[in-house]
Structure formats: C-alpha cells, structure tokens
Amino acid sequence: MRKGPATPLMRQYLEMKGRCPDAILFFQVGDFFEMFYEDAEEASRLLNLTLTSRNNGEAADVPLAGVPIKAAHEYVQRLIRLGRRVAICQQVEEASQAQGLVRRELIETITPGAVFADELLSAGRNNFLAAVAGRRDQSELGLAWADISTGEFSCAVVTRHQLASELDRIDAQELLLPRSWEPTGDGAAEAFAGRPCTYREEWCFDSEITSEQIRRHFRVQSLAGLGLAGDGDALAVSAAGALLAYLLDVQPGAGGSLRPPRAERAAEVLHLDEMTRRNLEVVRPMQAESGATLLSVIDLTLTPMGARTLRGWLLRPLAEPKAIRERLDAVEELHEDGRKRRRVREVLGEIKDLERLAAKAGAGRATPRDLLALAASLRRIPGLAEALGESEATGLAEATRRLDPLAELADLIERAIDPEAPPSLGGGGVVREGYSEALDELRSVRDGAVGWIADLQGRERQRTGVGSLKVGYNKVFGYYIEVSKPNLDKVPEDYQRRQTLTNAERFVTPELKEWESKVLSAEERIAELEQELFAQVRGEVGGQVERVNALAGSVARIDVFASLAELAERNRYVRPRVTDDERIDIRGGRHPVVETVMPRERFVPNDVRLDDEQRVIILTGPNMAGKSTILRQVGLIALLAQMGSFVPAERAEIGVVDRIFTRVGASDNLALGHSTFMVEMIETAAILNGATERSLILLDEIGRGTSTYDGVSIAWAVTEHIHGRVGAKTVFATHYHELTQIADRLPAAAAYNVAVKEVGEDIVFLRRLEPGGADRSYGVQVARLAGLPVDVIERARQILKDLEGVALGSGTRLEGEAERSRSADRWQLSLFQPVEHPVVERLRRAVPEEMTPLEALALLSELKQELGDG
Ligand code: ADP
C-alpha cells in the first residue's frame, strides 16, 4: 500500500484497512461507502465504477471509488459472487456530534461463506462455509461446514479422495484451509476449482486450541456431550473449531445462532460421489442450466427450510433400512390420508423461513418486519399441529409432538411491534402503542405539543387580524410564524424575527419556542426508547433461537414428508419395500425425470432385477434405444427409496446399497471436457477400487474412447472383475453387442437388450427391455433417423456388409482370445489387434482346392513380398 503523510481521515482508513487486509474495505463517509487505493482500483474494474481521487493532504492524491450506501448491498452482492470479501466500516456517531473525526468501526466482513443478507442467499439452499483440517497428503482429513444464516453446523472425517466430492455435495461457497494448502506458483488448488479459499495459520487448526474453542463457545464440559470425543473425531473437531473461530472473527454476531457441531458418520449414509451426482443429474442438470433435475421434479415443499431439508436428504440418502422405513411410514400416512395432507400443506404454505428468521434474531440483525414474520409463522403452528392430529407413523408423531408453538414469544412480538412497522428501524413507529407506558407518555407529550402548534395558526390569525398568517416548519429554523410583507405592520411585540424571505418574514414567540422544544426532546427520547425496546424484544427472541430452530426442524420434516406424499400422489409413485437383502427388484420402473418431459402414457415402464442369480446385467441395444434411461432409472429409484421417498414403479424391492457409482461414456461427457480415454480409465479405476458387495454400479459404455478392440477388451475385463471380485450389483449398458457373450460365460451375469423393431430399412424404438443380447448395433439405421445424407447411408451399408463378411464369427474369436489371455494370466491388448491385414484377407479368399501347386507357390511368394519379407 502506498502510504505517506495523510489527512486524519486517511490515517483512520489505513488503520481499519490494516485490520482486514484481505477484504475490500467499504469505508463509510456520509451517505457513501468509499474505497481507496488498490481496493478502489479493483472495485472500479469489477463493478464498473468511476475511478476518481481524493486529496490526501500533502501526499499524492489517493485513488477513490464510491457507492451510495442505499445501493451498497447490490455492489456487495456482486463482489461476493465474484468470490471477493467485503469489510464494512461504518460511522458510529453522527457527524454533527463528533468532536473532530467521526468514530468508525468495523462491523462485519462479508465473505462468500459467511452471509446473512437475504439478497445474497437463495431460499431453498444452504450457504455453507467449509473448513478442512490436516495436511494435504494425509489420507484422512477433518471437514466441517456451517451455514450462519440457518445455524446449521456439521463435521466429519473424510478420506482425501472423498474431499472434493464432499465439498461438491455440500456445495461449499468458501473454504477455510491451513496455510500449508496455499498454492505456490501457478498451480492453483485444482480440487477446489472455483471455490474461494481463505487460509489460516496452522495453529488455528491445532487440536487442543480448537477443542477448547468449541467447549467454551457451546459451554460444554467435554466434547463427549456433543458426541465428538471418539478417537476418530480429532480431525473433525480441528476443522470445526477452526471454522468456529473464523466465523466469530468475520461475523461476530453469528455465534448467537450457530448450533453445536453434529458429527456425520459415513456408515449411516448412502454415499454418492461427485461423478454420480452429476451423471444422475441429482441437483444440477448436465447441460442446460435450466434443465430438469431429480430435485426439481421431486421438490414440492412449501417452506424454505423444507426445501433445504429435502435437498439435504437427496444428497445424503440413508443406508439403514429401519431409518428409511420410518421416513416411508410418515410419507405413506400422508399419502393415504389426502384430506390430512391437503390441510397440512395449506398451513405450511403460510409459514415463513423460521430458521433464518431465528438466526437473524440470534445475530441481532432481525428487522421489525422479520420479527413480525416470525410471530405470524409461530401463530400457524397450532393450526399445523391440529391438521396433523394423531399419527401412527413415529416420524410424523414425533415431529408433531415437537411443534412447540412458542406462544409467549409470538405474544411478546405482537404486543411490542407495530403491525405497520416500517422495514427498518430509525424512522420511528416500530413499537406498538400500549407496550410501554413511558413511550406512550412521550408520544402523547409530543402529539399534544404538535396539536398545540397546529391550533396556533387560528389563534394568531384572530389575535393579529392577519388572515394569511401561516404556521410552518423547516429543518433549519424549526417552527415559525410567517407573515407576508404587506401585513408586517400588524406584527405584535412578542414576535421575534428569524428569517427574511422575498415576500414575507418569519417569526417565533417565546411560547412557540417552548412547545417546539417539547416536541423535539420528546422525539429524541422516543427514538432512543424505541431502539432500546426493540433491542430488548429482539434479544429475547434471540435468546430462544434454540427452540425456534428445533421447531423449524420439525416443520421442515413435516414439509418434506407431505411433499413426498404429494409427489407420490401426483406422479403415481409407490412405496418401495426397503430391506437388508442383497436384492433389487423393480417392476414397471420409470425414469422419474424423463417421464415428466413426455406425455404420461408414452413412457414405457421396465422391469429390472439384480440379485445373487443375476448380479451383472449387460444391456445392449442401438444408440437412442433407451439404455441410459433404464440404467439411470435403476440408480434414481434406489436413491429415492433410500432417502425415504416413494418411487416411480408399479412395485419395487430395494435391498439397501452403500454406494452408487456411475460412469458415463466418454463421448456422452464431451460437454464437460472430460473426453479423454485417460479420464475414463481413472474413473473406472476409482469405481473398481471403491465398490463393495453392497454397491450399485451403473456403467454407461466403457472403453468408447479408444479403438473398438481395445474398448471391448477393457469392458470385458472390467465386467469379469466386478462379477468375480467385487460382487457389486451392476448394470452395464453398451452398444458393443459382442459383450453379450460374456453373459453366457459368467454364472451371475445376464444379457438384456432394449428392443427395436425393423420396419423396412428403418428401426422403431420399442423402449422395452427383453432378455438376451442385441444381435447388431443398428448404427446405420440410427444415422439414417438422424438425417445423414442418403448416399452416405448407402455407402455405410455397403461397408458394413463387407466388414461383417470379413469378421464372420468375430464373436467366437473374441471369446477365444479372452480365454487365451486368461490362461496366460495376463491381459495383453495387443492380442486384439485387428486381424484384417490385407495378407490375411487374401489368404482367406484363396481356395487351395482350385489352385495349381504353381499358383499356390506364386501366391505364397507374393504374400511374403507384401509383408516385406520377400
Ligand atoms: P441410449 O442410451 O440407448 O442411447 P437413451 O437412454 O439416451 O438411449 O434414450 C434416448 C431417448 O429415448 C430418451 O431421451 C428418451 O426421450 C427416450 N426414452 C428412453 N427410454 C424411454 C422409455 N422407457 N419410454 C419412452 N421413451 C424413452
């Protein structure tokens, strides 16, 4: 920073800036936030502001950019979206009252992960800040994440490989990392692509310091009380403690609403890696930002906390049949009782974001209108409980039982806050009449005085006989009596001149002065008292954050149950039978998203069974037949079932899975720039290494990124490995119809195909799954459907015929090769080099019986010559 002899204002600025060096400092000067030096330059570039300069005493002028305070939130929002941090420094006294320089304080630092403002948040999503503890090369790391706008706080221990995927799941908006993670040189931290990172010294992650931090803040004797005292929890605690300290640093108010950290245990959940979430389009569409996702189809929640909970359940389904069945019971009850569901949903629609309102109150940020919204929502709670009535389902009964209406809090707010209160404090009219005697008295004094002044005009007109005499008010001179020039001779003795205008003079009287001071001092006291009373009420609400949060949690669950029940009704889903068996049996299953983008009757349902007898399904059929759809539908149905939802099927039995893996063919993934064969193989390796017997693997083409023979060989070997070693339930969609032979050779593998019908030269897609492999790829027909020119199609047909002639019996040969390589106990891709060498082809065509010995000899020498051996 370019320093120099500076004005007092600039000195104050530099001191503040020194306390938040990594943030852009918004420094209040009157009605503006000003930025100086590099901040001004950066902000003017990012926000398109005019860069000017401010005089800095004897030193060189300082670059300056400013934004009006009124519009500041828009600029802050833009900077945060760009991953910047903004520190807010406000004037904490009126310029008129300051002796010398106005006092200023750093109020907060807004960072992408530490945000309260509604404009920066989206209702249906959490805004998480995540912290990672541990060295970069450690195999296990601590991870913690918190959303200060809702008070949610969790932590876990994850493997290094899971980290990126976990950060993607919680969609962390900002990362807090130990200093040692800071990239040196150009190699930015790629695992965190696009996520703004903040680095803190290593000691901030020290396990003793952090656990002390947590104990102190949440006032617990031991971490055991938070379920975080296990041997394996130390890293999680380090991350959580570092995160807590950081949050308290940037947003001092956040401490009031943050809940104690909750430990997440891997064994309880169905793990989805980043790739799978993406491939199954769980919350984000693969291509167009606006495309449908599983979440967008199933989310019928009516409250923001319900929407966030549903999203959380979807990204973190359960793995424990009992817990899943409990959710399903609740959904079922609301599904069967349509009247109850409709009544419940009616009330839910009137409940605002209890969780964020409570967090704002806890952080001392709630506005009068926020409190009113909270009270109004609390008033709906008894109605919600009534609509729910008695429930059989434990989950529902439990949530209902916890519907604490917090009536005393609603009473307090309603008694204290004027229903017509303005959006912000300061303008008056916030505290309701009847709440405070002192306030009412002051108001009546003020109103009485105002009334007296209002009457004054009539009285003075009479007294002076001047009909045009006026009583008025202006900011500088206060109340006055105005008399026009021609009537000045009628002005009484006790009038004192205040101001001269072109056509009139303005006066005051001692009596008027006295009443005026009554009004003004009452106004001042009223403003102070209102502030005080409001702060008290807000404080009391803030003191109940925990109860409001617990309530919000119950409302959220009820909302999710009712939403899933409504979904089941609207989209004809059924309750899955969730078991501990190793069996997935789906009858009449549908793809939950694809079926919604076509007329209902057009989607063709299919059956898929995966069990001990049939653990691996090889799914063939031409491109566009519907393979990917069936494959994904199996994963989506399992995922829906394990989150506790009904599923799009006629009947479904789901033996819980511990992980779902997917891999999508390289060419299908081009849009993401992941087209290389290498990436494909890395992903496949990750699946083979990570899957267990209880996993579900969905492979959509493997080995497409290389030559056919390479591809088929790798796919073959991968399938054998999964079948023999991993034992995971697997659906493998491929357009290599050659692979269906593998189903004959492996006992627990079965071939299916998505049926097509040939009609003349065309094919018709039946979308129906049938046992057995497809006998051909139908690529040429599909190309024809796609509108390739007729001559290209004709030529392709010819070539295909030739090739098919040459490769006659290719299937048997492949099998032979596989056998040979296995017996040699190695897998050499070179064995699969194409055999159509011209020499071979000539040999093939030669008919020895019809040749003379001489001709045979000539051919032999020609062939040798062709090989370059001659
Ligand atoms: P493949 O993976 O075999 O190339 P897709 O699964 O991508 O084929 O399906 C292609 C298109 O066919 C889908 O976009 C969808 O519109 C339609 N489709 C797939 N399955 C069905 C089905 N069961 N019923 C109706 N339409 C389907």
Side-chain angles (χ1 to χ4, degrees):
M1 186 152 296
R2 292 156 274 176
K3 291 189 192 169
T7 57
L9 182 84
M10 287 317 295
R11 275 202 297 276
Q12 190 186 36
Y13 170 81
L14 289 173
E15 190 220 315
M16 294 292 172
K17 179 67 195 176
R19 280 157 53 191
C20 51
D22 49 3
I24 294 180
L25 180 58
F26 273 39
F27 188 77
Q28 185 187 359
V29 180
D31 292 336
F32 280 81
F33 278 124
E34 300 197 335
M35 289 151 274
F36 301 113
Y37 297 107
E38 285 88 349
D39 283 359
E41 281 157 10
E42 186 174 12
S44 72
R45 191 160 36 79
L46 296 175
L47 301 173
N48 218 354
L49 299 173
T50 324
L51 190 65
T52 56
S53 61
R54 169 181 269 270
N55 178 289
N56 185 22
E58 288 160 24
D61 284 355
V62 172
L64 158 77
V67 298
I69 289 185
K70 279 208 179 109
H73 66 268
E74 273 169 43
Y75 293 101
V76 172
Q77 188 173 342
R78 275 161 63 193
L79 289 171
I80 299 300
R81 296 247 155 88
L82 291 166
R84 300 302 199 281
R85 311 151 63 80
V86 178
I88 304 290
C89 175
Q90 281 178 357
Q91 293 177 187
V92 291
E93 60 183 354
E94 287 294 325
S96 55
Q97 285 168 4
Q99 297 174 342
L101 201 58
V102 179
R103 271 199 308 125
R104 291 181 168 82
E105 268 171 29
L106 275 179
I107 304 294
E108 59 175 332
T109 305
I110 305 162
T111 77
V115 176
F116 271 111
D118 290 333
E119 311 85 56
L120 291 171
L121 298 165
S122 51
R125 292 169 67 163
N126 279 107
N127 192 82
F128 284 119
L129 166 76
V132 179
R135 282 191 327 275
R136 229 188 155 142
D137 58 352
Q138 242 164 255
S139 57
E140 288 200 326
L141 298 163
L143 178 64
W145 59 103
D147 179 348
I148 56 168
S149 70
T150 64
E152 226 161 311
F153 191 5
S154 310
C155 60
V157 173
V158 301
T159 68
R160 194 175 58 206
H161 303 293
Q162 285 167 348
L163 182 62
S165 164
E166 286 299 287
L167 291 174
D168 173 76
R169 170 171 72 89
I170 56 191
D171 196 16
Q173 298 301 308
E174 178 185 351
L175 296 183
L176 180 70
L177 298 163
R179 180 72 66 197
S180 61
W181 288 56
E182 195 162 16
T184 46
D186 308 335
E190 282 190 359
F192 314 123
R195 297 183 204 282
C197 296
T198 303
Y199 301 94
R200 284 287 184 269
E201 301 315 318
E202 305 293 323
W203 63 259
C204 298
F205 296 82
D206 175 86
S207 65
E208 271 181 32
I209 295 178
T210 49
S211 62
E212 169 59 23
Q213 213 124 32
I214 293 175
R215 281 200 304 266
R216 192 152 26 95
H217 185 82
F218 295 105
R219 299 199 198 90
V220 289
Q221 285 281 312
S222 132
L223 292 180
L226 304 177
L228 282 169
D231 289 341
D233 294 328
L235 278 165
V237 169
S238 290
L243 186 143
L244 175 65
Y246 172 71
L247 275 181
L248 294 178
D249 185 26
V250 292
Q251 289 282 1
S257 57
L258 216 53
R259 275 166 262 172
R262 201 181 56 85
E264 262 197 27
R265 315 262 173 224
E268 298 162 4
V269 300
L270 159 57
H271 188 81
L272 302 173
D273 61 14
E274 188 176 355
M275 208 159 45
T276 299
R277 278 192 299 271
R278 201 171 62 213
N279 291 340
L280 295 181
E281 304 188 289
V282 177
V283 293
R284 263 193 296 267
M286 199 98 89
Q287 264 128 28
E289 257 314 301
S290 56
T293 63
L294 182 58
L295 179 65
S296 72
V297 168
I298 71 163
D299 183 4
L300 300 176
T301 57
L302 296 164
T303 68
M305 54 267 181
R308 290 192 295 270
T309 303
L310 181 80
R311 188 188 169 94
W313 284 14
L314 187 58
L315 287 171
R316 191 176 165 277
L318 303 176
E320 231 269 304
K322 191 166 161 287
I324 297 168
R325 285 196 292 260
E326 217 178 278
R327 287 185 182 175
L328 287 170
D329 287 343
V331 177
E332 182 167 33
E333 190 167 322
L334 289 170
H335 179 244
E336 281 176 359
D337 192 341
R339 213 172 82 89
K340 185 183 206 168
R341 182 178 71 244
R342 276 186 293 279
R343 288 184 55 204
V344 167
R345 284 175 58 82
E346 217 166 276
V347 186
L348 283 168
E350 296 167 353
I351 299 178
K352 297 276 178 328
D353 199 337
L354 286 171
E355 209 177 14
R356 282 194 171 146
L357 289 170
K360 277 204 235 172
R365 287 171 166 267
T367 63
R369 294 224 179 138
D370 286 337
L371 293 191
L372 289 171
L374 177 62
S377 298
L378 291 177
R379 290 296 186 215
R380 304 278 169 248
I381 302 302
L384 181 59
E386 198 188 307
L388 282 157
E390 299 279 312
S391 293
E392 294 261 316
T394 359
L396 208 53
E398 183 74 353
T400 311
R401 199 176 55 71
R402 293 211 199 136
L403 287 179
D404 172 0
L406 284 146
E408 51 319 325
L409 208 59
D411 285 345
L412 170 68
I413 296 171
E414 285 173 358
R415 251 188 309 119
I417 312 293
D418 194 314
E420 307 288 314
S424 66
L425 211 54
V430 168
V431 177
R432 195 171 187 169
E433 212 184 297
Y435 178 66
S436 152
E437 253 179 55
L439 184 65
D440 289 349
E441 218 173 283
L442 282 166
R443 281 179 177 160
S444 82
V445 169
R446 176 196 60 188
D447 295 346
V450 170
W452 184 90
I453 293 171
D455 290 342
L456 183 67
Q457 186 166 294
R459 289 197 306 268
E460 289 302 305
R461 278 186 184 174
Q462 239 177 10
R463 175 152 83 101
T464 59
V466 179
S468 62
L469 176 146
K470 275 191 302 198
V471 173
Y473 177 80
N474 95 13
K475 263 195 169 162
V476 183
F477 296 102
Y479 288 97
Y480 56 78
I481 300 169
E482 187 177 300
V483 180
S484 59
K485 285 252 161 85
N487 292 312
L488 283 178
D489 55 332
K490 297 190 187 133
V491 167
E493 288 268 299
D494 57 337
Y495 275 30
Q496 301 164 7
R497 178 166 303 139
R498 263 299 129 91
Q499 194 186 3
T500 304
L501 308 176
T502 343
N503 299 321
E505 300 262 330
R506 287 176 175 173
F507 303 90
V508 291
T509 64
E511 211 183 1
L512 177 58
K513 279 267 93 168
E514 196 185 315
W515 283 101
E516 182 190 65
S517 83
K518 268 192 198 163
V519 174
L520 295 183
S521 72
E523 288 284 12
E524 205 172 290
R525 276 292 297 140
I526 287 169
E528 273 169 26
L529 194 55
E530 276 210 313
Q531 293 263 15
E532 241 167 71
L533 293 169
F534 180 73
Q536 246 173 37
V537 174
R538 180 162 65 186
E540 253 174 77
V541 176
Q544 302 285 346
V545 165
E546 270 173 52
R547 283 174 71 194
V548 184
N549 268 333
L551 170 65
S554 290
V555 174
R557 293 173 74 83
I558 292 164
D559 192 11
V560 173
F561 292 141
S563 153
L564 291 175
E566 179 74 18
L567 170 74
E569 174 72 27
R570 284 194 204 170
N571 292 9
R572 297 168 302 131
Y573 287 10
V574 298
R575 175 176 179 148
R577 208 163 83 76
V578 175
T579 71
D580 240 335
D581 305 339
E582 307 235 336
R583 181 182 162 86
I584 290 182
D585 191 356
I586 299 167
R587 300 295 166 85
R590 297 159 351 238
H591 189 298
V593 181
V594 175
E595 76 163 340
T596 61
V597 297
M598 53 178 66
R600 182 176 275 192
E601 302 320 323
R602 271 203 42 216
F603 193 91
V604 183
N606 274 300
D607 303 341
V608 174
R609 177 172 62 83
L610 288 159
D611 53 17
D612 274 350
E613 247 171 56
Q614 179 172 297
R615 213 159 45 226
V616 176
I617 288 182
I618 309 283
L619 186 57
T620 46
N623 279 319
M624 283 302 288
K627 301 183 297 296
S628 314
T629 306
I630 290 184
L631 178 103
R632 286 177 169 80
Q633 137 188 342
V634 174
L636 292 170
I637 287 175
L639 197 157
L640 280 173
Q642 292 193 220
M643 78 170 277
S645 168
F646 281 25
V647 297
E650 272 157 36
R651 190 143 66 76
E653 181 181 331
I654 306 291
V656 288
V657 298
D658 63 354
R659 279 147 186 261
I660 299 179
F661 290 100
T662 59
R663 150 108 265 298
V664 170
S667 57
D668 297 350
N669 224 346
L670 265 176
L672 292 168
H674 288 182
S675 61
T676 64
F677 178 61
M678 190 62 190
V679 172
E680 185 183 336
M681 288 299 105
I682 291 172
E683 291 181 356
T684 308
I687 295 177
L688 298 187
N689 294 327
T692 74
E693 248 179 25
R694 292 231 68 132
S695 306
L696 174 63
I697 302 182
L698 305 169
L699 300 172
D700 197 352
E701 303 287 4
I702 282 199
R704 230 170 158 179
T706 181
S707 78
T708 304
Y709 283 85
D710 271 2
V712 173
S713 320
I714 293 172
W716 187 294
V718 165
T719 313
E720 274 184 357
H721 182 85
I722 292 175
H723 179 275
R725 298 269 179 84
V726 182
K729 289 180 272 294
T730 304
V731 183
F732 182 1
T734 176
H735 75 295
Y736 292 138
H737 57 86
E738 295 89 342
L739 280 178
T740 49
Q741 299 163 43
I742 204 169
D744 301 333
R745 303 172 48 88
L746 302 177
Y752 282 83
N753 73 91
V754 190
V756 291
K757 198 166 73 182
E758 274 185 276
V759 178
E761 300 211 321
D762 285 331
I763 46 170
V764 175
F765 297 116
L766 302 178
R767 316 283 185 213
R768 212 175 48 235
L769 194 61
E770 291 180 344
D775 47 353
R776 20 196 306 227
S777 291
Y778 298 97
V780 177
Q781 283 90 337
V782 176
R784 195 176 123 94
L785 284 182
L788 240 57
V790 181
D791 51 341
V792 174
I793 299 291
E794 268 322 304
R795 176 70 184 132
R797 240 187 252 289
Q798 267 171 18
I799 297 172
L800 180 66
K801 218 181 226 151
D802 285 355
L803 288 176
E804 279 177 347
V806 168
L808 200 69
S810 66
T812 357
R813 211 171 52 236
L814 250 177
E815 218 174 293
E817 298 286 5
E819 193 61 73
R820 236 188 309 159
S821 74
R822 204 191 342 251
S823 58
D825 199 27
R826 67 200 161 118
W827 193 245
Q828 268 199 356
L829 299 180
S830 58
L831 287 175
F832 278 78
Q833 287 313 311
V835 286
E836 286 81 6
H837 191 282
V839 169
V840 178
E841 216 181 309
R842 287 190 64 186
L843 265 174
R844 212 183 272 285
R845 283 207 223 108
V847 189
E849 306 89 80
E850 292 175 8
M851 283 172 135
T852 65
L854 205 60
E855 277 170 344
L857 209 57
L859 178 66
L860 187 60
S861 97
E862 261 175 48
L863 291 179
K864 269 192 79 77
Q865 218 161 27
E866 210 172 319
L867 283 174
D869 283 5

